[in-house]
């Protein structure tokens, strides 16, 4: 049973930084596609960043050049480094994973319903 546990959320002022972590356990194989999603109140869950088993990463336009997704395979941990935070980044942030490789999804890798495993979420609040 795959388990994902996020941590690192909190409250910061605009322009600040946070680093989210997602500890993964219970999966075998090396082809998992992993991602960060976020959901603000009243809005649909949206993809923030995706990383493949080979380390290739993609970032959504709203966070490009400010957020960086990475992973440490030895620690089975996924990260999201968030810099220059804006009030519009306020949301619950979720770690997601799927057994299928990212290349399998193509553009669907940005759709939350393609992922089979989810963490419980960690809240990020950015004040102006």
């Amino acid at each position: 049973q795959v388990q994902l546990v996020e941590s690192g959320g909190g409250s910061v002022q605009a322009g600040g930084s946070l680093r989210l972590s997602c500890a993964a356990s219970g999966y075998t194989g090396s082809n998992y596609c992993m991602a960060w999603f976020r959901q603000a109140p009243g809005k649909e869950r949206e993809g923030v960043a995706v990383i493949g088993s080979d380390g290739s990463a993609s970032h959504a336009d709203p966070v490009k050049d400010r957020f960086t997704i990475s992973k440490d395979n030895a620690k089975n941990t996924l990260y999201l480094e968030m810099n220059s935070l804006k009030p519009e980044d306020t949301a619950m942030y979720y770690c997601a994973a799927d057994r299928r490789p990212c290349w399998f999804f193509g553009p669907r890798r940005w759709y939350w319903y393609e992922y089979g495993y989810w963490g419980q979420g960690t809240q990020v609040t950015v004040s102006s």
Side-chain angles (χ1 to χ4, degrees):
Q1 180 73 11
V2 175
Q3 290 188 322
L4 304 173
V5 180
E6 302 98 332
S7 61
S11 297
V12 296
Q13 290 192 325
S17 299
L18 283 173
R19 188 194 199 198
L20 305 184
S21 298
C22 172
S25 63
Y27 62 79
T28 58
S30 59
N31 288 330
Y32 280 70
C33 186
M34 301 195 74
W36 287 98
F37 284 77
R38 67 185 181 185
Q39 188 166 19
K43 294 189 176 181
E44 191 169 341
R45 192 169 296 191
E46 64 174 356
V48 174
V50 179
I51 190 166
S53 58
D54 61 354
S56 56
S58 302
H59 299 81
D61 286 343
V63 307
K64 205 167 287 185
D65 298 327
R66 298 188 298 121
F67 292 11
T68 302
I69 189 173
S70 63
K71 61 178 182 172
D72 185 329
N73 290 330
K75 296 181 179 180
N76 285 337
T77 302
L78 180 72
Y79 301 101
L80 184 68
E81 188 75 37
M82 304 187 295
N83 298 312
S84 302
L85 282 160
K86 304 175 180 180
E88 51 263 45
D89 294 319
T90 295
M92 185 71 79
Y93 282 71
Y94 297 92
C95 172
D98 197 88
R99 295 178 182 272
R100 296 167 293 182
C102 289
W103 59 260
F104 174 86
F105 293 105
R108 303 193 319 275
R109 65 187 183 278
W110 296 108
Y111 300 158
W112 65 266
Y113 49 81
E114 292 288 355
Y115 292 79
Y117 303 103
W118 290 87
Q120 81 289 350
T122 185
Q123 178 68 38
V124 172
T125 302
V126 185
S127 58
S128 57

